[in-house]
C-alpha cells in the first residue's frame, strides 16, 4: 500500500472481524469485557495492548488513528474529541512540569485563546513569535523550552510556513516541532517530511470534509528522541508511577511512547475522548480526501485569480498567486497546489461605514454560506475580525495580517462558476 489514495481508503482496517464487514464498523460501546482477571490486570498495567474502556480508545478510533498516521507518514496517532483537544493534550504532554512553549503569532484563534489564557492560568509560559522570522524563534528559546508550535498554512491569510527552517531551529535546541496541518492536509503537505516531529489536525475540517463531526488527532512521526537528554523529559524517562516500575521510553520506545503517555495520562485524566460514531464519520470523509482537496484547491485558485482582478477587492491573500509574499514557499512545500482557505480584503475605507459594507457583502451571498468552519464540502465565508479572531487584540490581528475588511473564504465542492457569480453579485454592494 504505497500510494496516498490507497492508504486513505484501506490503512488501518483489515476485514476479518467475525461479521466480515467491508467498511469499518462503529464499535459503539463504553467498555469491553475481559477474558479473565489476569488479562484485565495486564491491560490496566500497560503490560498488554487491548480494549479496556472507550475513554482510552475504541476499535473504530484505532482504525482512524492508523489511517491518519499512514497518511502523514507517522509512527502512531492519537485521536481525540476535537482539534482543540488534540492541540491541548499534545502541548501538555510535551511541556510536562515547568516547560515553556514558543508558538507562532499566526495561529488559529482558538489556539491563541488556549495558550494565552488557559495555559497562562495553569502557569505554562508561552512566547509568541512571528513565524516568518527565524531569529525571533531562536531568540525566544529558553533552557526550559520544550516545544515549538506553528501551522503549516495559517488562516485566514494563508501564510505558508518554512517548516524546514523552524524544524532546524527546533533540532538545534533539542526540542520537538509540532505542526498543525489542518489547513495543509496530508494530501498537500506532510510536515514530517520537512522535519516536524508531531503533526496535529482538527479532523473536523478537511479530513472529515462533510462538516458533520468534531474530531482531532495528533501524529507522532517517531523522529524525536526523548532518551537523548533524559533529564528534560522525566515524564518519559522516569518510572511511570501510575502503572508500574518502568519508564514509558523503555517500555514503548520511539514512535509509541508519546501516544502511550497522551492516552494513559492526558486523555485518561482530562477526558476529551472521541466518540466511536465521530471516528467512523471521519473515516468516511478520509476516503475521498485527495479528490476533495484537489478540487477545492483548483476552485480556490480560480476564485483568487478572479478576485484579484476585481475592483471591489483591495488584496487577495492566496499563496498560489504570483507576487504573494509566500508564493515561493508555496512552490516549495505545496507542489500539488495551494490551500482552499484564503482571504481577501474589500476595497472600502476604514471608517464608521466599514462594518456595514462588509456586512452587506457577506449577508447577500447566496451560494456561499456564512459559517465559522473550513474544509467542508460547502463553500463558506467568515469575517475574522468579528467572528473567529474577535478575541484577538487589534495589535494581534494586525500581526496576523487581518484587517477589518478581511473576509475568509473556504472553497467547497460546488461548481466554481456558481461561486464566482455569487461573489460578483455580492461585491456590487460594496
Ligand atoms: C478548527 C481548528 C482547530 C480547532 O479544531 P476543532 O476541531 O474546532 O476543535 C485547530 N487548528 C486549526 C488550524 C483549526 O482550523
Amino acid at each position: 500500500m504505497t500510494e496516498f489514495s490507497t492508504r486513505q481508503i484501506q490503512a488501518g482496517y483489515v476485514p476479518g472481524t467475525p461479521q466480515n464487514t467491508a467498511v469499518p464498523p462503529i464499535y459503539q460501546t463504553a467498555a469491553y469485557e475481559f477474558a479473565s482477571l489476569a488479562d484485565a490486570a495486564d491491560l490496566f498495567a500497560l503490560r498488554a495492548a487491548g480494549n479496556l474502556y472507550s475513554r482510552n480508545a475504541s476499535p473504530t478510533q484505532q482504525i482512524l488513528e492508523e489511517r491518519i498516521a499512514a497518511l502523514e507518514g507517522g509512527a502512531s496517532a492519537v485521536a481525540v474529541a476535537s482539534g482543540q483537544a488534540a492541540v491541548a493534550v499534545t502541548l501538555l504532554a510535551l511541556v510536562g512540569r515547568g516547560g515553556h512553549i514558543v508558538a507562532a503569532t499566526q495561529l488559529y484563534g482558538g489556539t491563541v485563546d488556549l495558550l494565552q489564557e488557559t495555559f497562562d492560568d495553569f502557569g505554562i509560559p508561552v512566547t509568541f513569535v512571528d513565524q516568518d522570522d527565524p531569529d525571533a524563534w531562536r531568540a525566544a528559546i529558553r533552557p526550559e523550552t520544550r516545544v515549538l508550535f506553528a501551522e503549516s498554512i495559517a488562516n485566514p491569510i494563508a501564510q505558508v510556513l518554512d517548516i524546514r527552517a523552524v524544524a532546524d531551529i527546533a533540532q538545534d535546541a533539542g526540542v520537538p516541532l509540532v505542526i498543525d496541518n489542518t489547513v495543509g492536509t496530508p494530501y498537500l503537505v506532510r510536515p514530517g517530511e520537512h522535519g516536524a516531529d508531531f503533526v496535529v489536525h482538527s479532523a473536523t475540517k478537511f479530513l472529515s470534509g462533510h462538516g458533520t463531526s468534531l474530531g482531532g488527532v495528533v501524529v507522532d512521526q517517531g523522529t524525536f528522541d526523548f532518551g537523548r537528554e533524559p533529564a528534560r523529559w522525566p515524564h518519559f524517562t522516569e518510572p511511570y508511577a501510575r502503572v508500574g516500575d518502568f519508564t514509558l521510553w523503555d517500555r514503548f520506545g520511539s514512535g509509541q511512547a508519546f501516544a502511550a503517555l497522551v492516552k494513559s495520562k492526558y486523555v485518561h485524566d482530562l477526558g476529551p475522548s472521541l466518540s466511536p460514531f465521530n471516528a467512523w464519520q471521519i473515516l468516511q470523509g478520509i476516503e475521498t480526501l485527495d479528490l476533495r482537496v484537489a478540487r477545492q484547491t483548483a476552485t480556490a485558485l480560480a476564485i483568487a485569480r478572479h478576485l484579484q482582478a476585481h475592483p471591489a477587492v483591495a488584496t487577495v491573500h492566496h499563496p498560489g498567486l504570483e507576487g504573494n509574499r509566500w508564493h515561493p514557499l508555496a512552490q516549495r512545500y505545496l507542489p500539488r497546489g495551494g490551500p482552499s482557505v484564503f482571504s481577501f480584503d474589500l476595497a472600502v475605507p476604514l471608517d464608521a461605514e466599514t462594518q456595514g459594507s462588509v456586512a452587506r457583502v457577506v449577508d447577500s451571498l447566496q451560494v456561499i454560506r456564512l459559517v465559522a468552519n473550513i474544509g467542508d464540502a460547502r463553500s463558506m465565508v467568515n469575517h475574522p475580525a468579528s467572528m473567529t479572531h474577535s478575541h484577538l487584540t487589534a495589535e494581534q490581528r494586525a500581526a496576523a495580517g487581518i484587517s477589518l475588511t478581511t473576509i475568509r473564504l473556504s472553497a467547497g465542492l460546488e461548481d466554481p462558476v456558481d461561486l464566482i457569480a455569487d461573489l460578483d453579485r455580492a461585491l456590487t454592494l460594496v
Side-chain angles (χ1 to χ4, degrees):
M1 258 204 306
T2 58
E3 298 306 319
F4 191 89
S5 55
T6 312
R7 280 181 275 145
Q8 79 184 4
I9 294 170
Q10 298 197 1
Y13 185 55
V14 179
T17 53
Q19 294 74 22
N20 294 327
T21 60
V23 173
I26 307 172
Y27 289 94
Q28 191 73 28
T29 177
Y32 303 84
E33 188 177 328
F34 305 109
S36 67
L37 180 57
D39 280 5
D42 282 345
L43 285 166
F44 273 86
L46 299 183
R47 283 189 296 268
N51 303 320
L52 199 156
Y53 185 65
S54 287
R55 174 143 35 82
N56 303 58
S58 70
T60 315
Q61 175 185 330
Q62 285 161 348
I63 297 163
L64 175 68
E65 290 169 346
E66 279 196 42
R67 191 160 302 175
I68 296 174
L71 295 184
E72 286 288 0
S76 63
V78 179
V80 288
S82 64
Q84 207 56 28
V87 172
V89 296
T90 299
L91 295 178
L92 288 171
L94 292 172
V95 293
R97 189 181 297 194
H100 163 252
I101 298 168
V102 184
T105 49
Q106 291 88 343
L107 292 176
Y108 170 72
T111 311
V112 174
D113 290 342
L114 171 72
L115 298 186
Q116 75 178 11
E117 292 181 18
T118 302
F119 276 18
D120 190 55
D121 292 346
F122 289 177
I124 300 169
V126 182
T127 305
F128 289 96
V129 297
D130 174 1
Q131 67 180 30
D132 296 318
D133 182 352
D135 291 336
W137 284 104
R138 269 187 227 102
I141 291 170
R142 312 174 186 168
E144 61 278 16
T145 300
R146 291 293 174 270
V147 54
L148 307 191
F149 183 68
E151 295 172 15
S152 52
I153 304 174
N155 91 80
I157 303 301
Q159 302 97 327
V160 180
L161 181 72
D162 188 343
I163 303 171
R164 177 58 66 183
V166 183
D168 287 346
I169 293 167
Q171 200 167 8
D172 288 347
V175 299
L177 172 64
V178 179
I179 292 293
D180 182 334
N181 198 31
T182 300
V183 176
T185 80
Y187 179 66
L188 295 181
V189 57
R190 285 174 295 282
E193 293 174 358
H194 307 289
D197 301 294
F198 297 90
V199 176
V200 294
H201 280 276
S202 167
T204 316
K205 317 290 170 56
F206 290 95
L207 295 176
S208 290
H210 36 50
T212 66
S213 308
L214 266 82
V217 67
V218 49
V219 178
D220 179 354
Q221 300 293 142
T223 46
F224 192 77
D225 183 356
F226 292 100
R228 201 165 67 93
E229 289 184 86
R232 282 189 160 194
W233 313 99
H235 37 315
F236 290 104
T237 59
E238 286 179 6
Y240 194 39
R242 65 171 56 194
V243 282
D245 191 22
F246 58 83
T247 77
L248 286 172
W249 193 243
D250 288 343
R251 170 65 56 88
F252 294 99
S254 174
Q256 305 297 329
F258 175 82
L261 178 71
V262 169
K263 284 193 177 180
S264 67
K265 185 171 181 185
Y266 294 96
V267 180
H268 174 90
D269 293 9
L270 299 171
S273 311
L274 182 64
S275 87
F277 181 72
N278 280 17
W280 182 84
Q281 286 276 58
I282 298 163
L283 276 168
Q284 304 317 299
I286 287 176
E287 294 189 358
T288 56
L289 179 67
D290 61 348
L291 301 173
R292 287 184 285 107
V293 172
R295 165 98 170 250
Q296 287 168 300
T297 287
T299 298
L301 187 59
I303 296 173
R305 291 208 167 112
H306 179 81
L307 292 175
Q308 195 178 30
H310 199 292
V313 173
T315 317
V316 180
H317 306 279
H318 191 294
L321 298 175
E322 295 75 17
N324 177 278
R325 179 175 164 194
W326 294 276
H327 186 62
L329 287 171
Q331 287 186 305
R332 178 166 156 208
Y333 288 103
L334 306 170
R336 286 171 155 164
S340 55
V341 179
F342 68 101
S343 64
F344 54 97
D345 299 345
L346 295 179
V348 293
L350 291 178
D351 56 25
E353 304 301 314
T354 307
Q355 185 76 9
S357 306
V358 173
R360 271 197 306 282
V361 172
V362 167
D363 290 342
S364 65
L365 289 166
Q366 292 166 9
V367 182
I368 303 172
R369 308 307 171 103
L370 178 62
V371 179
N373 195 12
I374 56 172
D376 196 317
R378 278 148 283 274
S379 293
M380 301 169 294
V381 289
N382 155 41
H383 181 230
S386 50
M387 295 169 61
T388 46
H389 294 70
S390 58
H391 295 187
L392 273 56
T393 62
E395 296 78 58
Q396 284 176 316
R397 271 204 297 278
I402 301 166
S403 126
L404 293 176
T405 72
T406 303
I407 295 175
R408 181 184 75 187
L409 179 74
S410 176
L413 297 174
E414 306 92 338
D415 196 303
V417 168
D418 287 328
L419 299 173
I420 287 172
D422 197 33
L423 286 162
D424 280 349
R425 189 168 48 231
L427 287 170
T428 61
L429 302 173
V430 160

